[in-house]
Amino acid sequence: MMQNVSHVRLFFLSGLNETMDYRVVLFSLTLLYYCFIVLVNVILVVTIILDKNMHEPMYILLCTFCMNGLCGTTGFYPKILWDLLSPVHVISFSGCLVQAFVMLSFICSDLSILSVMSYDRYVAICRPLEYHSIMSKQRVLLLLVFFWLTPFCISSINSIVTYRLEICSPYIDKLFCMNWVIVKLACFPADTIVNNIVSHITIIIYLFHGLFIVWSYVYVLKTCVNSLENRAKFMQTCVPHLTSLFIFLVTVLFNVFNMRFGSKLPPTIQNVISIELLIIPPIMNPLVYGFKLTLIRNRILGGITFKMK
């Protein structure tokens, strides 16, 4: 007999079933890794907030980038740590929707912020004399509000259209909840047409974000070809951004591959691929920017040296 959403109150997550013999080791490593993620991101955020020399668009955007990483990982790591200590891995229907909302918001916000950062680099290199008038603090704030609200609204709509579905199975063969995972459990495929339309609209919106990033860097590269000064600026400030963008795109593509063809892979490999976005970017982004951007590196190293004295 089919169950609808009014009866499915709990979902059972089976993603950890293959690794429960090593749960103490996994818990320790996961906790250590999560603490390190929090530490490096908080250090970068606090450094930027406290240093008035960094109250510039590029650093404000970087601060927002790290804060988004903290939000995304907080939606995943505390729950997985709890599951590693629990004999049964369950999550409420509402809790699953909230986690799915946080995960989608995190991914969409990352791409939104990366697109604003690419525009910032375009203005800084291609239109340097107009930089401060174009990228004023008020405009940066408006851009950030817009690019925070857009993922929030998109994720909210995805969650609302998923909430109305009748769910037939309480079993999720993943480590955590994602919107498409819940949609797959719908009783009637015909009911998911709206979900598919909303998903395709979401993909189209963020494809335009990607095209905008490409457009920005086409102009940046054209400008840098014949200028040593611009090439130096590109290496100093654009390389970290392109590194973050590359990491983001690779992890997203692996996730897409996993969704399409993951059923042919061992469960452990599927789990690792599904959480790459929560493992690699949140730790690599602050490290890449921290080491590459001279002002941040000097500020952090200066603070460490002062404390050692």
Side-chain angles (χ1 to χ4, degrees), residues 50-249:
L50 294 181
D51 193 331
K52 291 184 179 179
N53 293 324
M54 295 187 197
H55 293 181
E56 297 292 332
M58 181 175 70
Y59 297 104
I60 294 170
L61 292 169
L62 175 56
C63 183
T64 309
F65 201 36
C66 291
M67 289 170 68
N68 187 56
L70 287 171
C71 291
T73 52
T74 301
F76 169 73
Y77 282 95
K79 178 66 174 78
I80 198 72
L81 287 167
W82 177 262
D83 285 344
L84 285 167
L85 295 178
S86 305
V88 181
H89 312 133
V90 297
I91 187 169
S92 67
F93 179 75
S94 57
C96 195
L97 278 176
V98 168
Q99 189 176 52
F101 170 84
V102 172
M103 293 297 104
L104 184 58
S105 295
F106 161 65
I107 295 167
C108 293
S109 296
D110 250 15
L111 192 51
S112 292
I113 297 166
L114 283 167
S115 63
V116 181
M117 292 171 89
S118 69
Y119 179 67
D120 174 73
R121 291 301 83 206
Y122 157 74
V123 177
I125 293 175
C126 300
R127 302 167 68 180
L129 298 179
E130 303 171 73
Y131 181 76
H132 290 290
S133 60
I134 294 174
M135 296 300 291
S136 63
K137 290 180 182 178
Q138 293 79 10
R139 183 162 294 174
V140 171
L141 182 61
L142 285 173
L143 284 170
L144 287 175
V145 168
F146 177 76
F147 282 113
W148 274 106
L149 282 177
T150 303
F152 177 84
C153 293
I154 288 172
S155 301
S156 298
I157 293 168
N158 274 274
S159 297
I160 290 167
V161 296
T162 300
Y163 178 77
R164 68 180 178 76
L165 295 175
E166 291 186 1
I167 305 298
C168 279
S169 172
Y171 300 102
I172 294 176
D173 61 343
K174 302 292 178 186
L175 292 171
F176 61 97
C177 295
M178 287 290 283
N179 196 66
W180 67 270
V181 173
I182 306 171
V183 172
K184 282 170 61 178
L185 302 176
C187 298
F188 308 107
D191 291 344
T192 65
I193 291 173
V194 176
N195 296 79
N196 291 330
I197 292 171
V198 172
S199 295
H200 282 92
I201 292 172
T202 302
I203 291 168
I204 290 168
I205 289 171
Y206 286 97
L207 277 176
F208 277 109
H209 280 62
L211 291 173
F212 178 77
I213 293 171
V214 171
W215 172 85
S216 298
Y217 273 101
V218 165
Y219 277 90
V220 167
L221 290 170
K222 280 183 178 179
T223 306
C224 290
V225 168
N226 299 316
S227 170
L228 286 173
E229 183 184 348
N230 284 334
R231 269 182 272 177
K233 191 183 291 186
F234 178 87
M235 293 301 297
Q236 180 66 28
T237 62
C238 294
V239 168
H241 177 257
L242 287 173
T243 304
S244 295
L245 182 62
F246 176 76
I247 292 169
F248 176 82
L249 290 177

